[in-house]
Amino acid sequence: MYDIIAKKRDGVELSKEEIEFFAKGCTSGEIPDYQVSALLMAIYINGMSDTETFNLTIAMKNSGDVADLTAVEGMTVDKHSTGGVGDKTTMIVVPMAAALGCKMVKMSGRALGHTGGTVDKLESIPGYRSELSKKEIFEITNRIGACMIGHTGNLAPADRKMYGIRDVTATVDSLPLIASSIMSKKLACGSDGILLDVKFGSGALMTDMSDAVSLASEMVKIGKTASKKTIALLTNMDVPLGYAVGNALEVKEAVRVLKGEQKGDLYDICIELTTYLAHISSGLPYAECRRLSAECIDNLTAFEKFKEIISAQGGDTSVIDDTSKLPLARYQYEIKAERSGYIAHMNTQEIGMISMSLGAGRAVKEDKIDYTAGIIISKKTGDFVNVGDTIAILHTNNESKIYEAVMKYNLAVTCSEVKPELQPLIYDVVK
Ligand code: URA
């Protein structure tokens, strides 16, 4: 390990064998944390070639369980978002893609820090089981087209170990380390095609657009080298996506989009994501896939698919038919605009943190979620507000959190007399 660290420190490319040795030793604990840290810092400073990044991805993928989806009939596709605030696209896109004939075993994570987790959102539906047996996963996916579950098995433990060390050694923000970390887990999920939703902006992993483009390109390269059809979309997370942040609140919004009752940014992104999933899966031209994506909302087949999936996983679909049956927080506090003007910018990460403080998320893994908590955003970047207009409604069962949340929300939202120039919703596609 000493020689490997010295090599990387001096800017020399590491071999496949050296990288495999590192990933194996990391997983088994044979390499002490101080040597893991030293190599990670050398990688952070000197970067990695495409070959090194790919070899690290595969070594981390192979450090744990790799899902075998061959029991699913047809080509399987997967979607991965780099995370954000109000990102409920999985709950919408998975049934849309299934309605178009795609096969998806969608594994998602839980909320941590400012970002939400699809599994928590779905578990706000009474009875919903995010843990299924292998038999159930294959039966549901073959019958309905998709299931939505939590991560199963021991996925990329080398990445878990390295991420824990990166987190406390200032080495998270390294492009090859982020790209290999994300792709090792995606490849371990076992699908044939991968659609990446790489976010940019104040609520994203990559705040800067050009960094997000580089990350997307690196991940697409890794996916293709691993013989997976891979496409990345670069989408805006400088503003929360849609209007709801928080678990049950986001389920309600997802249902509105699936019923064709809500258009706008969230709908547009879901159409684009579904279009590319269908394109990867079927090979049909983009324009045809886009037409089919819009059609499955208009004719409610995606909404019906959503109910089928929820029902197959034990969820109570009566709350989907009538979302007013979903539980509501005891307190709903309206935040009013303190002056007139345009909303010029929203600190999206901070809005995610405020939602977490109201009970919707977790500061640490062990925290309990309040499914009813969160924020309904009434005005977003570019909207004009008059003094006294409601700009957001805080939902919580913990009254003592409201005062601080209001203060913080007012600081997170910047007002201006000048209408701001809006960033694009979908910036680019990397193929
Ligand atoms: N998410 C990951 O899974 N890995 C990283 O390195 C950063 C974000």
Side-chain angles (χ1 to χ4, degrees):
M1 193 56 202
Y2 180 96
D3 295 335
I4 294 175
I5 296 168
K7 216 172 152 182
K8 193 73 223 170
R9 178 200 62 199
D10 297 338
V12 182
E13 188 174 62
L14 299 180
S15 70
K16 184 165 178 259
E17 291 69 30
E18 285 164 335
I19 288 172
E20 281 171 357
F21 172 85
F22 171 56
K24 273 206 184 97
C26 222
T27 315
S28 68
E30 276 164 292
I31 302 173
D33 288 2
Y34 52 82
Q35 285 188 315
V36 175
S37 315
L39 183 60
L40 289 171
M41 186 55 84
I43 293 172
Y44 180 92
I45 291 166
N46 289 326
M48 278 185 136
S49 68
D50 286 348
T51 309
E52 286 178 302
T53 309
F54 179 73
N55 287 336
L56 179 62
T57 309
I58 301 302
M60 291 198 293
K61 177 199 90 171
N62 291 337
S63 68
D65 299 334
V66 178
D68 176 2
L69 301 184
T70 47
V72 176
E73 293 148 19
M75 180 180 178
T76 48
V77 283
D78 200 356
K79 173 193 91 81
H80 177 79
S81 156
T82 57
V85 177
D87 184 358
K88 69 278 294 170
T89 54
T90 293
M91 290 189 284
I92 304 167
V93 166
V94 170
M96 285 176 77
L100 267 54
C102 297
K103 292 286 168 61
M104 294 185 83
V105 175
K106 181 70 188 91
M107 296 184 206
S108 300
R110 292 188 180 274
L112 191 61
H114 75 283
T115 63
T118 301
V119 170
D120 296 311
K121 295 173 198 188
L122 287 165
E123 286 180 356
S124 68
I125 300 168
Y128 190 87
R129 286 190 301 126
S130 56
E131 270 181 48
L132 299 177
S133 68
K134 275 189 187 161
K135 194 165 163 250
E136 287 174 307
I137 291 172
F138 297 136
E139 190 278 317
I140 294 171
T141 309
N142 280 326
R143 179 165 53 87
I144 302 174
C147 62
M148 294 184 275
I149 54 176
H151 289 295
T152 59
N154 186 21
L155 218 64
D159 169 65
R160 201 161 47 242
K161 175 74 190 274
M162 276 181 229
Y163 193 87
I165 294 178
R166 284 166 60 204
D167 210 18
V168 292
T169 56
T171 49
V172 166
D173 293 330
S174 148
L175 196 113
L177 291 179
I178 297 174
S180 56
S181 163
I182 295 174
M183 289 306 285
S184 66
K185 288 171 287 199
K186 268 302 101 175
L187 293 175
C189 289
S191 68
D192 304 311
I194 301 170
L195 178 65
L196 300 163
D197 181 6
V198 181
K199 309 280 188 194
F200 60 86
S202 60
L205 178 63
M206 295 301 201
T207 50
D208 185 77
M209 190 125 66
S210 65
D211 288 343
V213 173
S214 305
L215 177 64
S217 308
E218 194 61 49
M219 292 198 291
V220 168
K221 251 186 249 164
I222 295 170
K224 286 186 173 170
T225 312
S227 307
K228 307 281 183 189
K229 275 196 189 177
T230 312
I231 294 178
L233 298 190
L234 283 132
T235 70
N236 191 323
M237 193 34 81
D238 207 41
V239 185
L241 192 51
Y243 292 95
V245 183
N247 302 285
L249 297 173
E250 293 192 39
V251 169
K252 280 187 199 173
E253 186 173 34
V255 168
R256 272 201 304 279
V257 172
L258 283 165
K259 281 183 164 173
E261 293 168 357
Q262 179 177 314
K263 297 290 192 289
D265 60 354
L266 176 60
Y267 169 85
D268 290 343
I269 285 199
C270 290
I271 291 283
E272 205 66 18
L273 290 168
T274 308
T275 299
Y276 278 102
L277 281 170
H279 175 66
I280 291 173
S281 166
S282 67
L284 286 172
Y286 171 88
E288 176 65 359
C289 294
R290 200 178 162 89
R291 188 187 67 72
L292 292 168
S293 297
E295 190 178 82
C296 75
I297 294 284
D298 294 343
N299 64 18
L300 293 177
T301 50
F303 175 64
E304 292 304 327
K305 266 292 168 217
F306 183 60
K307 288 203 295 180
E308 279 181 66
I309 298 168
I310 299 300
S311 168
Q313 296 192 221
D316 176 3
T317 52
S318 75
V319 303
I320 306 301
D321 282 320
D322 177 5
T323 53
S324 70
K325 286 186 180 169
L326 279 165
L328 208 57
R330 208 168 324 135
Y331 304 101
Q332 280 131 50
Y333 186 91
E334 292 189 22
I335 304 181
K336 307 282 187 188
E338 290 173 346
R339 64 187 180 104
S340 301
Y342 290 97
I343 306 268
H345 188 250
M346 301 175 86
N347 180 339
T348 301
Q349 173 162 350
E350 182 61 13
I351 291 171
M353 295 301 281
I354 295 165
S355 174
M356 182 193 84
S357 76
L358 295 170
R362 296 184 182 85
V364 290
K365 267 193 224 147
E366 293 71 28
D367 284 350
K368 265 202 139 3
I369 292 256
D370 173 358
Y371 293 124
T372 66
I375 305 172
I376 295 293
I377 296 163
S378 318
K379 301 286 179 188
K380 300 198 356 173
T381 306
D383 288 343
F384 186 82
V385 294
N386 286 303
V387 63
D389 282 353
T390 300
I391 55 170
I393 306 170
L394 307 180
H395 287 238
T396 188
N397 285 309
N398 190 343
E399 194 180 12
S400 70
K401 297 285 180 189
I402 294 175
Y403 179 77
E404 196 180 342
V406 174
M407 296 292 153
K408 287 188 167 170
Y409 196 89
N410 281 326
L411 287 173
V413 175
T414 318
C415 238
S416 160
E417 281 167 19
V418 186
K419 193 172 166 69
E421 203 176 309
L422 294 183
Q423 286 182 312
L425 182 63
I426 296 159
Y427 175 69
D428 205 357
V429 181
V430 182
K431 291 186 195 177

